Amino acid sequence: EAGVTQSPTHLIKTRGQQATLRCSPISGHTSVYWYQQALGLGLQFLLWYDEGEERNRGNFPPRFSGRQFPNYSSELNVNALELEDSALYLCASSLVRLAGGPGEQYFGPGTRLTVT
Amino acid sequence: GIQVEQSPPDLILQEGANSTLRCNFSDSVNNLQWFHQNPWGQLINLFYIPSGTKQNGRLSATTVATERYSLLYISSSQTTDSGVYFCAVDDSGSARQLTFGSGTQLTVLP
């Protein structure tokens, strides 16, 4: 069974540009999560999508946005890029549990974004 | 929000040694996961363990939810065990966000 996939592996952008990162969840998983791992800041939660809707958002400005498509894949868009947006962006997916509790999250290999 | 503390921050071992990594959290949790981050940045799932004890080969984990801590045991360590180990928790069933600790950097020397 294929795991979570992300593209591109690396992305180099200039300050002020927009970046689009993509994620495909494990087959059967409906929830997709985005996390940022910036140097010195650790792993921080960005966004959670489930059934096409944004369900939760971390402490990030509105220029971080995304969407989830009908096939449950997801895009993360970062507008007006700043130097401090340089980071590893990790996508995860999970199965929604019938009992309502949080399911185990599985992570993709990440996209390394460099803003110059 | 919930606080997650991992200790020790750094650990250097000789191959074959055993180790214990600790994760303390400040509130009750619905989900607790242990990960190993490989040199390329991918998080590898080790355990999903909101409570109880699990074992997988040389690795085992125990979470004592009532006392708000979890332990990851690595026995007979190998050089391939090197890397950063993260503990992450979800304290709200509706919010579904993982809060990560700052990690333990493990180096296993040959």
Side-chain angles (χ1 to χ4, degrees), chain B residues 63-84:
Chain B
T63 298
V64 184
T66 52
E67 297 187 23
R68 299 180 184 167
Y69 73 89
S70 183
L71 302 173
L72 176 68
Y73 305 97
I74 304 174
S75 65
S76 304
S77 56
Q78 301 174 358
T79 56
T80 51
D81 294 332
S82 296
V84 184

Side-chain angles (χ1 to χ4, degrees), chain B residues 36-108:
Chain B
H36 177 208
Q37 188 166 39
N38 68 21
W40 299 272
Q42 181 156 12
L43 290 173
I44 308 299
N45 288 46
L46 297 178
F47 294 102
Y48 171 77
I49 187 167
S51 64
T53 297
K54 291 185 178 180
Q55 179 153 9
N56 184 5
R58 296 182 295 104
L59 274 60
S60 63
T62 295
T63 298
V64 184
T66 52
E67 297 187 23
R68 299 180 184 167
Y69 73 89
S70 183
L71 302 173
L72 176 68
Y73 305 97
I74 304 174
S75 65
S76 304
S77 56
Q78 301 174 358
T79 56
T80 51
D81 294 332
S82 296
V84 184
Y85 289 80
F86 287 103
C87 166
V89 303
D90 177 350
D91 63 333
S92 169
S94 61
R96 303 267 187 101
Q97 64 183 73
L98 286 177
T99 299
F100 283 79
S102 52
T104 292
Q105 173 75 57
L106 175 65
T107 303
V108 181

Side-chain angles (χ1 to χ4, degrees), chain A residues 33 37 48 56 102 104-105, chain B residues 33 37 45 48 94 96-97:
Chain A
Y33 312 81
Q37 187 175 28
W48 167 36
N56 190 22
E104 183 174 3
Q105 294 189 24
Chain B
Q33 293 185 241
Q37 188 166 39
N45 288 46
Y48 171 77
S94 61
R96 303 267 187 101
Q97 64 183 73

Side-chain angles (χ1 to χ4, degrees), chain A residues 46-57:
Chain A
L46 253 170
L47 290 159
W48 167 36
Y49 290 94
D50 184 67
E51 295 289 356
E53 300 285 334
E54 181 181 304
R55 302 294 184 179
N56 190 22
R57 181 182 187 85

Side-chain angles (χ1 to χ4, degrees), chain A residues 34-50:
Chain A
W34 289 95
Y35 293 84
Q36 183 198 63
Q37 187 175 28
L39 205 60
L41 292 178
L43 277 147
Q44 295 182 285
F45 167 77
L46 253 170
L47 290 159
W48 167 36
Y49 290 94
D50 184 67

